[in-house]
């Protein structure tokens, strides 16, 4: 019988140390180590697929095919980021939907694509460990229902640009919205980044600590946005950052009325230019 003291040193290292070694190893090194043993193969897969960033449609397809056919790789994924600027046929989105649904240990989903078809991918997805969502999508029924199925979300980043096809929000004489909307019910949400159109969707269960709000295409009533934050996060909101074009005296007045207890306030002005700058000789 071989004593533990005589076994190879790698077999005697704690699992946490081995995981750290694999995390620091390059991709070629992990691929070579995966051939050593079943343990090393599992550690290599965990290191290789823990954090995935896909920057082209080809990479998306190849990776999705791997994840849907390799259960161990799918279980290893904690962060998935997709970035590109094209639209495709239905089969492409079906493959992505199948892949996302299989990532049951996913904690961070980042979809940096201006592609409205992605909204339809969420109507059946539910990821038990999801804590952070970042995307460029605008308000839609599918997206809101998907987010509400994940009450443990604590960070939400949505499109910085408004959808000009959506109706403007307004309040009636008793403080209710003039048309029905489906609210976000995310009791664990602490950080929000996105355009002002999303603010009225924040339900009463959210208790934000920080909010970064953009005004770009639609110059909505600032009073409405801060009233919504007042209802949900008056006692908890500590940091507020606003990015808006033109002067902001009305914004400062509204913040002082509805959010007087915030600790950090940052306001940025943006300038819109409708023509290309002239060439300087």
């Amino acid at each position: 019988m071989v004593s533990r003291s005589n076994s190879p040193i790698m077999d005697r290292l704690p699992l946490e140390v081995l995981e750290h070694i694999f995390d620091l190893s390059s991709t070629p090194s992990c691929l070579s180590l995966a051939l050593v043993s079943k343990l090393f193969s599992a550690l290599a897969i965990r290191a290789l697929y823990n954090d995935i960033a896909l920057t082209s449609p080809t990479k998306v397809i190849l990776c999705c095919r791997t994840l849907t056919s390799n259960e161990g790789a799918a279980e290893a994924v904690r962060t998935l980021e997709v970035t590109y600027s094209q639209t495709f046929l239905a089969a492409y989105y079906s493959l992505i939907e199948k892949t996302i649904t299989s990532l049951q240990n996913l904690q961070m989903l980042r979809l940096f694509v201006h592609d409205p078809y992605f909204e339809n991918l969420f109507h059946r997805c539910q990821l038990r460990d999801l804590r952070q969502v970042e995307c460029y999508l605008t308000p839609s029924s599918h997206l809101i229902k998907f987010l509400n199925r994940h009450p443990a979300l604590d960070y939400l980043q949505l499109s910085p640009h408004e959808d000009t096809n959506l109706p403007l929000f307004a309040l009636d004489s008793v403080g209710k919205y003039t048309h029905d909307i489906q609210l976000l019910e995310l009791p664990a949400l602490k950080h929000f980044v996105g355009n002002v159109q999303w603010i009225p969707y924040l339900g009463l269960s959210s208790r934000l600590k920080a909010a970064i709000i953009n005004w770009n295409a639609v110059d909505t009533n600032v009073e409405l946005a801060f009233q919504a934050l007042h209802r949900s996060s008056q006692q908890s909101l500590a940091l507020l950052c606003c990015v808006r074009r033109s002067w902001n005296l009305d914004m400062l007045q509204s913040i002082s009325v509805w959010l007087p207890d915030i600790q950090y306030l940052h306001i940025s002005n943006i300038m819109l230019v409708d023509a290309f700058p002239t060439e300087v000789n």
Side-chain angles (χ1 to χ4, degrees), residues 4-218:
R4 180 173 174 82
S5 60
N6 294 328
S7 62
I9 187 171
M10 293 296 285
D11 292 343
R12 289 183 273 132
L13 289 175
L15 182 60
E16 293 79 4
V17 174
L18 289 175
E19 289 177 339
H20 191 60
I21 292 174
F22 276 81
D23 288 340
L24 296 177
S25 300
S26 64
T27 297
S29 297
C30 283
L31 293 174
S32 297
L33 289 169
L35 303 176
V36 173
S37 64
K38 290 183 178 180
L39 173 61
F40 278 24
S41 177
L43 291 171
I45 289 175
R46 187 179 303 178
L48 290 169
Y49 290 94
N50 181 74
D51 189 353
I52 298 177
L54 307 173
T55 56
S56 72
T58 301
K59 291 180 179 179
V60 170
I61 293 173
L62 293 175
C63 184
C64 285
R65 287 175 176 172
T66 298
L67 294 175
T68 53
S69 62
N70 188 327
E71 184 177 348
E75 291 178 351
V77 180
R78 297 296 184 273
T79 301
L80 175 64
E81 177 179 324
V82 179
T83 308
Y84 65 83
S85 58
Q86 295 172 269
T87 57
F88 299 91
L89 298 177
Y92 175 80
Y93 300 101
S94 298
L95 178 61
I96 297 176
E97 179 184 7
K98 182 179 179 181
T99 302
I100 293 177
T101 304
S102 71
L103 307 180
Q104 287 304 306
N105 293 322
L106 190 69
Q107 298 176 3
M108 183 189 302
L109 178 62
R110 310 176 76 188
L111 300 176
F112 296 137
V113 291
H114 297 281
D115 188 344
Y117 290 102
F118 265 83
E119 297 174 0
N120 300 320
L121 303 183
F122 297 127
H123 66 288
R124 287 192 298 267
C125 290
Q126 185 165 359
L127 307 168
R128 63 192 178 200
D129 292 333
L130 193 62
R131 297 292 183 273
Q132 182 169 334
V133 171
E134 302 176 35
C135 66
Y136 287 162
L137 300 177
T138 54
S140 71
S141 175
H142 285 319
L143 181 56
I144 292 173
K145 289 179 180 178
F146 167 76
L147 294 172
N148 283 343
R149 287 197 293 272
H150 301 85
L153 279 175
D154 59 24
Y155 184 97
L156 180 60
Q157 177 179 334
L158 299 163
S159 174
H161 306 292
E162 301 97 323
D163 184 349
T164 55
N165 294 319
L166 293 177
L168 294 177
F169 289 104
L171 294 176
D172 59 21
S173 58
V174 295
K176 294 184 178 180
Y177 293 117
T178 53
H179 62 280
D180 293 332
I181 63 173
Q182 183 179 5
L183 297 178
L184 287 169
E185 299 297 340
L186 302 173
L189 188 64
K190 297 295 184 292
H191 305 88
F192 172 84
V193 181
N195 71 74
V196 69
Q197 273 185 331
W198 273 103
I199 298 301
Y201 289 91
L202 295 175
L204 296 178
S205 63
S206 299
R207 295 292 183 268
L208 296 179
K209 291 184 177 179
I212 301 176
I213 308 172
N214 294 277
W215 280 261
N216 288 315
V218 180

Side-chain angles (χ1 to χ4, degrees), residues 199-273:
I199 298 301
Y201 289 91
L202 295 175
L204 296 178
S205 63
S206 299
R207 295 292 183 268
L208 296 179
K209 291 184 177 179
I212 301 176
I213 308 172
N214 294 277
W215 280 261
N216 288 315
V218 180
D219 196 11
T220 56
N221 185 347
V222 295
E223 193 89 1
L224 181 63
F226 298 125
Q227 277 183 276
L229 287 175
H230 170 84
R231 286 195 303 272
S232 65
S233 307
Q234 178 190 12
Q235 302 299 325
S236 59
L237 191 66
L239 182 148
L240 177 64
C241 178
C242 301
V243 181
R244 183 182 180 226
R245 53 192 171 91
S246 74
W247 296 101
N248 292 301
L249 295 179
D250 59 335
M251 178 180 291
L252 290 170
Q253 175 65 27
S254 183
I255 293 173
S256 66
V257 171
W258 294 106
L259 300 169
D261 297 324
I262 60 172
Q263 301 174 27
Y264 305 96
L265 174 63
H266 181 86
I267 297 179
S268 297
N269 293 99
I270 58 174
M271 181 178 67
L272 300 181
V273 180

